[in-house]
Amino acid sequence: MFQKPLPTDHSKVARDAFLCVLAAACFTGGFAADARRALEFDDLLRAQRLSDPQISPDGKSVAYVITRSDKVENKTDSDIWLVPLAGGEPRQLTASPKHDRHPRWSPDGKWIVFESNRGGAFQLYLIAADGGEARQLTTISTEATQPVWSPDGRNIAFVSAVFPELSEKPFKESDELNKKKLDEREKGKVKARVITRLLYRHWDSSADGAPRDLTPGDRDAIPTSSTFSAGDDFAFSPDGKKLAYTATPTPAREEAWRTNHDIYEVDVDTGERRQITTNPAADAFPRYSNDGKWIAYRAQSRAGFEADRWQLMLYDRATAKTRSLTPDFDSWVETFVWAPNSKTIYFDAEEKAAKPLWSVTIVGNDAHKVVDKAVNGEAALSPDGTTLVFARQTMSRPAEIYRATAGGGDFRPVTRANDALFAGIDMSEPESVSYSGAGGAPIQMWIVKPPGFDPAKAYPLVFWVHGGPQGAFMDAWSYRWNAQLWSAQGYVVAMPNPRGSTGFGQSFVDEISHDWSGKVFEDLMAGLSYLEKQRYVDTKRMAAAGASYGGYMMNWFQGHTDKFKTLVTHCGVFNFWTMHGTTDELWFDEWEHGIPWETPDFDRSSPHRFAANFKTPNLIIHNELDFRVPLSDGLSLFTVLQRKGVPSKLLYFPDEGHWVLKPQNSELWHKTVFEWLAEYLKP
């Protein structure tokens, strides 16, 4: 599936979990109720992005992160805020111009540890919960992120990217040598690298007391890809004596085409390690029960398939036996949290374009919904087990922090950071419809109509195809592809969830593998046919747009339909051969299409084979630092269109990866896309 981990150079670097021993503004602008206006691009930047809610040990406060965009400086910055769980005025705890994030309460509730790059590189900082100046906790040359407290408050585990050949040495010596190597790499006139194995690039990135490396050697102590991560992929045992973490047992040279990850446990004092799972597919995100009897974790069943169903597994520490708690739950278990009684687990999982919160007991197979509708996640549970706190978003509102009882009652917002901004904006309510796809299968589709929609008028249509392909258009806010912003340009925006979409059962997900252009194409064309029958759609003014797999489908549309007046391809797959040879995660490509020299029909669904049919005007966007769908695919598509004389334009970002994240780059992206669409869709 097509987030952004640390730079990975497997010729020299591996990530490791470390242990550090401790010694002891809201947006105020608004708009009058009678002056509501359409959503604008700058509103995406004005909106405050709330995430990572963490409940204090006394259950009275919630720490969370607010990220803001600064268009002038072309960056974002993050700060930590506190708000009473019972409701009340939020209070800003940190205020650096960089990123302060990942807040974690000390067990006694007096301190919050967080990661920050306020000093340039990411390090851990400590701040009193009642305020004051933050104190830098680490100065490790290879940076420090993702702090996690031990239950006794004596230790903090964190992640740092180190040179594996130095990881067995004492910290002072290894840190000095790590720094020397990094300085040589940075200051050296020759920037060449000698690479001896795959996963040499990934996505878009080529204390008081000395820390100790608990996972030395040439193995990452967190998943090799964020595809297999659900957050902090390591946790302390309740007695603080053990640390469970996720690592791959796969031989180093095979990591690029294997999905195998297992759960390991390391003794904090002795460093003795043992492997506790042996599943050939992915196991990840270990969490101890409060009574110490169990380790719960997520697991897939099919080796090599990154989009397999994630089940919630339970490992008995006394008997070493494992069983699934969700064998009949037909969706992916994502993040989860134990209840204090060690008998119930709360988790989030998709269901038909929404993401409810669920609970399941250790009896197993008894999952039921706790919080319904919208997209809910990052759940935390109060120490007494009575209150859930979580982030909740919809297609019409960015995430805010909400609360509910453990049974789903007393549901209400804890924050209202974006109320003032959105009070002045007119947006239409997204509509969910269903139609028959290939073989009569029901297909869900979102439709977002322009503000001030008049059913007597016919509007231009923009037809989206989502990425993944194992993903879905959710009832969620987006800062990159925002349906409300596109509809504000005067378009009806349609977002179908065809074969391959998650949240509609695993068999529905499976039906796209080895068939990127078959049933899914029929599903999409059936959705377009549904829309063409709606009186409010102007069938002479229709466009399609997509990114990643959605970009692939734009390229497939080029050779297989003339329904659209124009296409917008963002970082889309064009040639299966070059994709296989340059993408960073071979496991994805080989599961979806096969190994080129072993699979006779490997490229039967590759868009480049149908270039003779290309004739639709096409905007292509591609980014230099995209290693998932590398730049060559976008350049090749543009070359073909130009050589054939098809109206086309290439927007190229040398400083972006798979996504466009910098505010000014995002502004240019939207301006270019909207101008291109207007050229072909506006009267």
Side-chain angles (χ1 to χ4, degrees):
M1 295 172 69
F2 301 141
Q3 322 237 35
K4 180 182 175 183
L6 296 170
T8 302
D9 177 355
H10 276 289
S11 61
K12 296 180 178 178
V13 182
R15 279 179 236 110
D16 284 286
F18 276 75
L19 198 65
C20 177
V21 182
L22 296 175
C26 298
F27 178 79
T28 57
F31 301 91
D34 58 354
R36 289 163 62 85
R37 57 174 178 79
L39 187 70
E40 301 170 353
F41 168 76
D42 278 353
D43 294 320
L44 299 186
L45 304 185
R46 295 184 186 111
Q48 300 181 68
R49 310 181 186 191
L50 280 66
S51 62
D52 205 5
Q54 300 290 320
I55 303 178
S56 61
D58 63 7
K60 294 181 179 180
S61 299
V62 180
Y64 60 100
V65 176
I66 290 184
T67 300
R68 296 184 179 87
S69 298
D70 185 337
K71 188 168 72 172
V72 174
E73 296 295 328
N74 199 27
K75 66 180 183 66
T76 59
D77 74 85
S78 306
D79 290 302
I80 298 168
W81 288 66
L82 298 178
V83 65
L85 179 58
E89 196 67 27
R91 173 170 61 92
Q92 187 169 353
L93 188 63
T94 70
S96 83
K98 296 292 185 70
H99 289 291
D100 297 341
R101 62 194 186 194
H102 202 86
R104 295 297 183 267
W105 294 89
S106 62
D108 62 9
K110 294 180 180 180
W111 304 93
I112 291 177
V113 66
F114 61 97
E115 65 183 44
S116 177
N117 63 344
R118 57 176 60 191
F122 274 102
Q123 299 291 345
L124 303 188
Y125 288 76
L126 201 64
I127 190 169
D130 56 3
E133 291 297 319
R135 175 169 63 91
Q136 187 168 337
L137 195 61
T138 64
T139 55
I140 186 168
S141 63
T142 48
E143 302 192 302
T145 60
Q146 294 180 254
V148 173
W149 290 90
S150 63
D152 60 10
R154 295 176 57 196
N155 298 320
I156 294 175
F158 62 92
V159 173
S160 190
V162 304
F163 292 93
E165 65 270 25
L166 306 174
S167 60
E168 300 278 1
K169 298 179 181 296
F171 171 72
K172 186 176 185 300
E173 181 183 358
S174 66
D175 192 49
E176 290 174 352
L177 292 171
N178 275 309
K179 185 177 187 305
K180 182 180 178 182
K181 278 180 168 283
L182 291 171
D183 288 345
E184 289 172 350
R185 177 183 290 181
E186 177 67 25
K187 297 174 182 177
K189 300 297 183 182
V190 177
K191 301 300 182 183
R193 290 158 57 195
V194 177
I195 297 167
T196 59
R197 74 179 202 238
L198 296 179
L199 275 182
Y200 55 87
R201 60 182 190 172
H202 205 64
W203 275 113
D204 61 358
S205 303
S206 186
D208 296 323
R212 288 186 293 120
D213 188 347
L214 286 181
T215 57
D218 193 14
R219 278 297 182 275
D220 290 347
I222 57 176
T224 55
S225 168
S226 56
T227 299
F228 305 104
S229 176
D232 296 333
D233 293 284
F234 50 96
F236 278 101
S237 59
D239 60 10
K241 295 180 178 180
K242 306 286 187 181
L243 188 75
Y245 64 96
T246 306
T248 175
T250 300
R253 68 174 298 271
E254 300 178 7
E255 288 181 359
W257 61 90
R258 306 288 188 197
T259 63
N260 191 11
H261 291 77
D262 283 309
I263 307 299
Y264 291 75
E265 194 175 47
V266 59
D267 187 290
V268 172
D269 291 328
T270 68
E272 181 182 355
R273 288 176 283 173
R274 69 186 184 99
Q275 184 176 344
I276 64 174
T277 69
T278 56
N279 171 27
D283 302 325
F285 201 71
R287 290 293 183 271
Y288 291 88
S289 59
N290 286 8
D291 61 12
K293 294 180 179 179
W294 315 95
I295 296 177
Y297 62 95
R298 303 164 70 231
Q300 297 180 316
S301 299
R302 288 175 281 182
F305 188 22
E306 69 170 34
D308 195 17
R309 180 168 65 106
W310 286 97
Q311 297 187 56
L312 183 60
M313 309 298 291
L314 195 66
Y315 172 81
D316 187 326
R317 298 182 72 198
T319 66
K321 293 182 178 179
T322 299
R323 59 187 171 91
S324 173
L325 297 181
T326 56
D328 298 331
F329 184 75
D330 201 7
S331 188
W332 299 359
V333 173
E334 298 190 35
T335 59
F336 63 85
V337 59
W338 278 96
N341 64 10
S342 299
K343 295 180 179 179
T344 302
I345 296 174
Y346 296 86
F347 64 92
D348 53 278
E350 294 181 25
E351 182 187 56
K352 298 178 180 177
K355 188 185 288 186
L357 295 180
W358 309 75
S359 71
V360 65
T361 72
I362 59 173
V363 172
N365 224 20
D366 56 356
H368 73 277
K369 227 176 292 185
V370 176
V371 175
D372 201 2
K373 301 179 180 178
V375 168
N376 308 277
E378 301 183 287
L381 196 61
S382 62
D384 63 4
T386 63
T387 305
L388 281 165
V389 171
F390 49 95
R392 179 181 175 90
Q393 59 182 304
T394 69
M395 208 177 293
S396 302
R397 287 295 296 268
E400 296 279 359
I401 309 303
Y402 276 71
R403 60 168 288 170
T405 65
D410 191 26
F411 171 82
R412 53 191 166 97
V414 178
T415 65
R416 297 181 178 273
N418 291 299
D419 279 6
L421 171 61
F422 285 91
I425 297 173
D426 183 17
M427 292 187 286
S428 61
E429 188 67 22
E431 177 185 357
S432 178
V433 302
S434 180
Y435 63 88
S436 295
I443 306 297
Q444 186 271 342
M445 178 166 62
W446 293 104
I447 299 175
V448 180
K449 298 168 183 175
F453 174 76
D454 182 349
K457 294 181 180 179
Y459 294 84
L461 171 74
V462 181
F463 188 74
W464 283 8
V465 180
H466 66 65
Q470 295 90 353
F473 284 125
M474 308 285 287
D475 186 10
W477 187 259
S478 174
Y479 291 94
R480 292 187 295 273
W481 286 68
N482 188 291
Q484 294 285 4
L485 181 59
W486 285 52
S487 68
Q489 312 307 306
Y491 307 131
V492 170
V493 179
M495 296 164 284
N497 281 316
R499 302 310 157 97
S501 298
T502 52
F504 299 88
Q506 188 61 38
S507 62
F508 196 78
V509 173
D510 291 349
E511 286 191 84
I512 199 170
S513 296
H514 307 288
D515 190 27
W516 276 25
S517 61
K519 289 181 180 179
V520 60
F521 180 67
E522 292 182 50
D523 291 347
L524 293 168
M525 289 297 99
L528 189 65
S529 178
Y530 172 95
L531 292 160
E532 288 177 308
K533 296 173 184 175
Q534 308 307 310
R535 295 180 58 186
Y536 56 82
V537 171
D538 185 342
T539 58
K540 296 181 179 180
R541 294 187 292 160
M542 300 192 301
S548 200
Y549 172 82
Y552 158 85
M553 186 51 70
M554 297 306 105
N555 302 339
W556 188 257
F557 284 170
Q558 267 287 8
H560 294 83
T561 181
D562 58 2
K563 290 278 190 179
F564 302 106
K565 292 200 68 174
T566 189
L567 302 168
V568 177
T569 300
H570 175 98
C571 293
V573 180
F574 177 65
N575 185 325
F576 282 9
W577 281 89
T578 58
M579 172 73 175
H580 181 272
T582 55
T583 189
D584 58 341
E585 291 184 349
L586 281 179
W587 61 72
F588 169 79
D589 211 58
E590 293 185 357
W591 182 275
E592 294 301 308
H593 310 302
I595 300 174
W597 52 90
E598 296 179 0
T599 309
D601 61 349
F602 170 79
D603 67 347
R604 66 184 174 87
S605 295
S606 182
H608 84 281
R609 297 182 63 243
F610 304 91
N613 300 333
F614 288 12
K615 56 182 176 295
T616 304
N618 205 151
L619 171 64
I620 303 105
I621 307 165
H622 223 109
N623 308 327
E624 178 75 40
L625 301 179
D626 185 356
F627 302 152
R628 188 56 35 85
V629 184
L631 179 62
S632 57
D633 274 40
L635 298 182
S636 297
L637 171 62
F638 182 61
T639 298
V640 168
L641 293 168
Q642 287 285 302
R643 185 65 179 81
K644 288 176 62 67
V646 178
S648 51
K649 180 185 290 188
L650 173 66
L651 175 59
Y652 158 73
F653 290 100
D655 57 344
E656 296 283 7
H658 199 53
W659 301 310
V660 176
L661 301 177
K662 296 179 179 178
Q664 290 183 23
N665 289 351
S666 180
E667 182 179 46
L668 176 60
W669 188 97
H670 283 87
K671 181 177 183 291
T672 305
V673 169
F674 291 157
E675 286 178 349
W676 180 267
L677 290 174
E679 182 178 346
Y680 290 94
L681 298 185
K682 293 295 176 71

